[in-house]
Amino acid sequence: MVAAEVGMTELQHRPTALLVMEERRRDDVYPEAVLKEIGTLVDLREPLTRERLAEDPAALEGVEILLSGWGAPVLDSVLLGHAADLRAVLVAAGSVRPLTTPEFWARELPIVSAAAANAVPVAEFTLAQVLLGLKQVHRISREIRERKAYPPDPRVAGAYRSRVGLLGLGEIGALVASHLRAFDVEALASDPVVDAARAAELGVRLVGLDELFATCPVVSLHAPLLPETKGLVNGELVAKMGIGATLINTARGAVVDEPSVIPVLSGRPDLTAILDVTWPEPPEPDSPLYTLPNVVLTPHLAGALGAERARMGELVAAELRRFVLGEPLQHAVAPDRAHLRA
């Protein structure tokens, strides 16, 4: 729900704000109700796209608050040179990496990410696939089609004291872990930047990658794409997975080393790979990912789609309210943590 309107007398000053993002998804992210809420807090200029702003960077002059989402402008020295009055940036998207630069961080401006809102549908999708994976729904369905017969007594892990592995405990991984606490499963995780105390708070036990893949009937990937995570999930790790195991990737396609993983999936028809992301994306026309029966491809269905995107705009509106009223922001991104967001 969008917060109640602020009375005009509560605001000593109505900052000037500008919304810059792609047109295609703008109405989803900032629907009429959210824009109405924002309009009670700031003087909102006509929205621009990143391309239009590049043509006329002077449009940032006098802007105190920059609102954005997908298609955000890169805040380099050129744009910042026209943004002397800028006081805050609020982004209705998960990562702020695409728009931040060293010049931006040098300004020490607060920047808000809607990662918490974006995490909700991804975690929901993941939870659904985890539960299906524990029942080996995709594998058994394939075998029924191939054999034209039902198995007499399917042997599956199920959601009773089974292990679920999470690679990464960022915003999404942590939310998935939270969801899993409602089930009688043991959650394991691998994340080099999370300590045991934080893992315990999330109800998970930290293990190494080998144990994660070798002992969990379902492994879900939630690691950001960093130099050290590129190609991290390789064929050797996937080959360690048990009979009928499921691999889920809703993170970044390049976290998986597809050239080494594809042969394993080809030789292990018992495994299932749920790939909501690939690299490249979409796969090349001749990619085996299209034809392998144990690969399920989805085009970012886990992410916010349609009306789900309004959650991010609502988060931005709530943060904007806090900012103009001088209250602490709840979703500001710390400079030393920005690179860890996908």
Side-chain angles (χ1 to χ4, degrees), residues 4 33-34 36 91 94 98 105 119 127 134 137 178 230 248 261 265 303 316 334:
V34 172
K36 182 179 179 182
V91 186
W105 292 115
L127 177 62
L134 289 173
V137 168
S178 176
K230 184 176 182 180
I248 305 166
V261 168
L265 294 175
V316 162

Side-chain angles (χ1 to χ4, degrees), residues 15-36:
T16 298
L18 176 66
L19 171 58
V20 182
M21 69 171 291
E22 63 177 37
E23 290 183 355
R24 181 167 61 96
R25 291 179 279 193
R26 190 173 63 206
D27 290 344
D28 285 345
V29 177
Y30 292 96
E32 183 178 352
V34 172
L35 289 179
K36 182 179 179 182

Side-chain angles (χ1 to χ4, degrees), residues 185-322:
V185 298
E186 180 186 6
L188 274 57
S190 182
D191 191 323
V193 301
V194 172
D195 60 26
R198 171 58 177 158
E201 289 177 6
L202 295 172
V204 305
R205 179 166 64 86
L206 293 176
V207 297
L209 281 177
D210 285 351
E211 182 176 351
L212 193 78
F213 279 80
T215 68
C216 295
V218 177
V219 176
S220 187
L221 310 184
H222 302 286
L225 182 58
L226 306 171
E228 54 268 37
T229 63
K230 184 176 182 180
L232 178 64
V233 178
N234 56 28
E236 183 179 353
L237 278 177
V238 174
K240 295 178 185 291
M241 300 183 81
I243 300 297
T246 297
L247 175 69
I248 305 166
N249 189 10
T250 59
R252 289 290 185 264
V255 171
V256 175
D257 178 32
E258 290 178 7
S260 67
V261 168
I262 286 174
V264 176
L265 294 175
S266 179
R268 290 278 307 276
D270 62 290
L271 298 178
T272 298
I274 311 294
L275 305 180
D276 196 48
V277 290
T278 61
W279 185 256
E281 197 167 83
E284 298 291 350
D286 60 350
S287 171
L289 294 178
Y290 288 119
T291 55
L292 281 172
N294 56 341
V295 173
V296 178
L297 294 175
T298 54
H300 281 281
L301 290 184
L305 298 175
E308 293 175 322
R309 294 168 178 158
R311 276 199 190 99
M312 293 183 284
E314 290 173 0
L315 182 148
V316 162
E319 285 286 78
L320 178 62
R321 175 182 297 277
R322 295 184 187 100

Side-chain angles (χ1 to χ4, degrees), residues 113-125:
S113 161
N118 188 54
V120 173
V122 183
E124 291 170 346
F125 179 94

